[in-house]
Amino acid sequence: MTNYQAVMMGSPIRLSLSRSNPQRARAVFQLIKQQETLLSANRDDSRLMAVNRAAGDRPIVVPAALFQLVALAQQISLLPGSLFNLTIGPLVKTWRIGFAGHSPPPIQQILDSMLLIDPHDLVLDPENQSIFLRKKGMEIDLGAIAKGYIADKICQYLAEQQEPFALINLGGNIHTLAHPECGPWQVGLQKPFATAQTLSARLAVSGRSVVTSGVYERCFLYQQQRYHHILDSRTGYPLDNDLLSVTVISDSSLIGDIYSTLLYGMGLEGSLAWLKHHPELEAVMITRDNKVICSSQRHFQCHVIDENQ
Ligand code: ADP
Ligand code: MG
């Protein structure tokens, strides 16, 4: 097994290939860079930023892949009771969590940004493949799904290249290629708020994606209160519930990324009830008291390591 590492999209990226192939690794990192240029909300030169800059002014024609991804993200955002919101950008930027934010922003700033985060105000024109944000200051943020989308692209590329056995880790967003002669991949689930080496569980997966949304990665503590990076459009504040993390095991990393955020928003009971009716998705939840709970284990095995410590 050979590992290749880089830091991209503000995250550590690791590619594991069954044998040394620097050329292939270079091609994968190039692919990530290309996708970042399409999707990033933190880079002035991305195609997505062109749409954001033209908010309140005019529609922008975008490449088909970006159009489709935004259309899917809007659909998910408009589901009844959805806590996912692709137009959450202004609120995310107000909080600056994971960047410079170390205290909650003034309430007036939160209220102002909440006027600019209605996903109904995003207009798609399929004929022209253009996207229009109705109000000046609106911003699309694909931060909750971009890594999943890119992980799928990479696995697709590696499969096309007939790479027999591989793993891509995009800052905790993992996808794997399986091989019948190689055993499953072992994926560690970090224990929330512990050092990166301390695991709550180990998952054995083959050819599946493993995506985690957690409240312990990008967050800050202010006057004994923890503020993290998944925000609630209804309150303007970070979502608060009984979960510290949700890990989704699925075929597609994009679907896993969407649902890790959505299920986190549903809380433990809500997620378990929802997953009963969606057998194609499975999840491992870590609760506030560090309990590890699996919705089912049809396509992976979960070995719990560190509960109640
Ligand atoms: P991670 O960044 O840890 O992989 P997620 O996939 O859950 O976690 O994505 C969190 C990111 O999504 C945030 O950093 C922000 O850019 C964006 N975001 C925050 N709140 C929401 C929300 N309610 N709906 C959609 N995207 C969100
Ligand atoms: Mg996500």
Side-chain angles (χ1 to χ4, degrees):
M1 192 59 50
T2 312
N3 292 322
Y4 298 91
Q5 325 233 15
V7 174
M8 301 174 93
M9 306 183 288
S11 302
I13 311 284
R14 200 186 82 216
L15 172 69
S16 304
L17 298 176
S18 52
R19 57 189 117 76
S20 167
N21 191 339
Q23 210 178 335
R24 183 148 300 155
R26 255 198 309 279
V28 167
F29 290 125
Q30 190 59 36
L31 189 62
I32 297 173
K33 213 164 163 184
Q34 239 175 39
Q35 295 300 321
E36 194 187 2
T37 310
L38 195 66
L39 305 174
S40 176
N42 297 311
R43 277 179 49 160
D44 282 345
D45 60 346
S46 75
R47 292 299 292 164
L48 189 66
M49 275 313 283
V51 175
N52 289 344
R53 268 199 304 271
D57 180 20
R58 71 207 142 90
I60 296 288
V61 175
V62 297
L66 180 57
F67 187 87
Q68 281 160 20
L69 188 61
V70 168
L72 174 68
Q74 187 184 33
Q75 242 174 46
I76 305 280
S77 304
L78 295 178
L79 290 175
S82 176
L83 289 158
F84 188 93
N85 180 353
L86 88 159
T87 55
I88 199 136
L91 190 61
V92 170
K93 296 228 159 133
T94 297
W95 278 88
R96 298 171 66 78
I97 295 173
F99 294 93
H102 299 293
S103 60
I107 186 82
Q108 194 54 48
Q109 271 182 34
I110 294 178
L111 293 174
D112 289 347
S113 59
M114 283 171 76
L115 299 173
L116 300 171
I117 59 169
D118 184 348
H120 291 95
D121 287 333
L122 182 153
V123 185
L124 293 172
D125 178 349
E127 206 164 303
N128 294 313
Q129 297 276 297
S130 70
I131 306 176
F132 177 48
L133 297 169
R134 281 205 186 104
K135 294 181 183 163
K136 193 172 167 50
M138 281 183 74
E139 283 197 36
I140 300 173
D141 178 346
L142 299 178
I145 58 172
K147 285 186 197 150
Y149 175 80
I150 297 173
D152 283 342
K153 285 259 169 237
I154 293 167
C155 274
Q156 201 183 331
Y157 166 76
L158 291 172
E160 279 164 16
Q161 300 297 312
Q162 273 142 35
E163 184 65 44
F165 190 60
L167 178 146
I168 182 77
N169 182 346
L170 301 174
N173 199 315
I174 290 166
H175 208 343
T176 61
L177 284 187
H179 189 274
E181 281 164 27
C182 310
W185 286 98
Q186 302 290 330
V187 176
L189 290 194
Q190 200 184 316
K191 183 173 169 142
F193 303 114
T195 59
Q197 288 76 28
T198 314
L199 301 182
S200 280
R202 197 176 313 111
L203 310 184
V205 288
S206 284
R208 297 232 148 204
S209 150
V210 179
V211 178
T212 301
S213 271
V215 304
Y216 52 92
E217 287 268 283
R218 277 185 267 157
C219 63
F220 62 78
L221 203 59
Y222 183 76
Q223 295 182 343
Q224 275 93 56
Q225 172 80 34
R226 196 171 296 282
Y227 297 89
H228 63 83
H229 72 314
I230 303 173
L231 301 170
D232 186 340
S233 310
R234 299 165 307 187
T235 62
Y237 278 75
L239 266 164
D240 206 15
N241 64 26
D242 48 2
L243 294 175
L244 294 182
S245 74
V246 176
T247 300
V248 174
I249 296 90
S250 55
D251 260 338
S252 144
S253 205
L254 171 60
I255 296 295
D257 211 0
I258 290 172
Y259 282 96
S260 65
T261 307
L262 266 183
L263 291 172
Y264 172 75
M266 291 182 203
L268 178 62
E269 291 308 317
S271 295
L272 290 174
W274 190 90
L275 285 161
K276 265 195 192 139
H277 302 289
H278 295 83
E280 71 285 5
L281 293 181
E282 300 184 272
V284 181
M285 261 87 57
I286 302 185
T287 61
R288 262 186 204 280
D289 48 358
N290 277 312
K291 290 260 178 306
V292 178
I293 295 167
C294 296
S295 66
S296 55
Q297 294 184 54
R298 283 185 293 271
H299 301 287
F300 73 103
Q301 273 160 4
C302 176
H303 172 63
V304 176
I305 297 171
D306 185 15
E307 259 187 355
N308 292 330
Q309 278 173 45

